Amino acid sequence: DAKTTQPNSMESNEEEPVHLPCNHSTISGTDYIHWYRQLPSQGPEYVIHGLTSNVNNRMASLAIAEDRKSSTLILHRATLRDAAVYYCILRGSGGYQKVTFGTGTKLQVIP
Amino acid sequence: GAGVSQSPRYKVAKRGQDVALRCDPISGHVSLFWYQQALGQGPEFLTYFQNEAQLDKSGLPSDRFFAERPEGSVSTLKIQRTQQEDSAVYLCASSSAQGALGNQPQHFGDGTRLSIL
């Protein structure tokens, strides 16, 4: 399984942008980059995904490096409700592949 | 509801008892996954169904763990002769993609928290 590396924790001030990095140096050409977040006592929640181009949705933006070996999840204005564990995972598009979560990045938002 | 539903939300059992955890996926979703999440860790893959077929059970930790999805919708994860190390949150996810293709997100339930005394 292709793996990802994320910092264990990050802090952000409320209403400031947050950039959450993810390294995936062994990514294959058919792997999508997915981001999920998990609030306490809840299941993971899908945030965004992309293949090569940067992506935007109502929750966040995903910036993908040109060589695709890293990506950054961007929360444009952090709120207290964004405090969660953020997971970056790879999912192949060439057929079934087992999904591997790491330990993610715990984001703390400071009021 | 429109999301993935898991029941019960909490389950306490004595060591040695059998337990059954239920997952109702989003209607029409072909792919269904079970994960185990220990405290402070990310979800660990247990097993994958495509419709009623269990295509990958490589993550099941022992033969005490058994999962089924007989009609391709509701799934049950059964743990026999429970041990204390089985204590964890068990998460179910579904996806509309056949073959669990990477261009479709997984939708997770809120899990069942299992505590073995």
Side-chain angles (χ1 to χ4, degrees):
Chain A
D1 303 329
K3 294 191 177 175
T4 61
T5 305
Q6 300 176 254
N8 288 333
S9 63
M10 291 184 64
E11 282 185 0
S12 174
N13 292 321
E14 194 176 11
E15 298 189 2
E16 290 188 355
V18 182
H19 290 234
L20 297 164
C22 181
N23 288 321
H24 28 79
S25 58
T26 60
I27 191 171
S28 76
T30 57
D31 285 341
Y32 281 82
I33 302 158
H34 283 242
W35 284 82
Y36 290 79
R37 71 180 185 181
Q38 188 172 24
L39 280 65
S41 300
Q42 294 186 21
E45 174 190 26
Y46 166 77
V47 177
I48 199 167
H49 77 280
L51 185 62
T52 55
S53 303
N54 294 345
V55 184
N56 299 295
N57 67 20
R58 63 176 179 81
M59 291 181 70
S61 296
L62 175 60
I64 301 172
E66 194 168 339
D67 63 5
R68 299 209 328 123
K69 294 185 176 182
S70 65
S71 61
T72 302
L73 180 70
I74 302 166
L75 307 178
H76 295 287
R77 287 179 70 240
T79 70
L80 296 178
R81 288 175 294 180
D82 291 323
V85 178
Y86 287 79
Y87 296 99
C88 165
I89 65 172
L90 302 180
R91 296 194 58 205
S93 60
Y96 166 72
Q97 290 181 19
K98 186 167 63 178
V99 174
T100 301
F101 284 79
T103 53
T105 297
K106 186 173 184 178
L107 175 66
Q108 182 179 0
V109 179
I110 302 168
Chain B
V4 176
S5 177
Q6 292 188 247
S7 60
R9 283 283 279 133
Y10 302 92
K11 176 69 177 177
V12 179
K14 292 183 179 179
R15 187 164 57 92
Q17 288 183 330
D18 298 348
V19 297
L21 312 180
R22 177 187 169 105
C23 173
D24 283 85
I26 293 173
S27 178
H29 275 195
V30 170
S31 297
L32 185 145
F33 305 80
W34 283 98
Y35 294 87
Q36 181 189 60
Q37 187 172 26
L39 191 63
Q41 302 296 313
E44 293 279 344
F45 170 82
L46 292 177
T47 187
Y48 163 63
F49 288 88
Q50 181 174 301
N51 296 307
E52 69 279 4
Q54 189 176 19
L55 298 187
D56 187 351
K57 53 182 180 179
S58 62
L60 296 176
S62 77
D63 58 7
R64 297 185 296 104
F65 286 71
F66 172 77
E68 60 183 5
R69 194 187 185 197
E71 297 179 359
S73 55
V74 171
S75 178
T76 304
L77 176 67
K78 298 179 180 178
I79 309 173
Q80 297 175 325
R81 306 180 303 281
T82 52
Q83 304 292 319
Q84 284 192 322
E85 62 262 28
D86 299 335
S87 296
V89 174
Y90 290 85
L91 295 164
C92 175
S94 70
S95 170
S96 60
Q98 188 153 351
L101 296 181
N103 60 345
Q104 293 295 325
Q106 292 188 13
H107 302 269
F108 284 81
D110 284 336
T112 294
R113 182 176 297 276
L114 176 64
S115 298
I116 304 300
L117 305 179

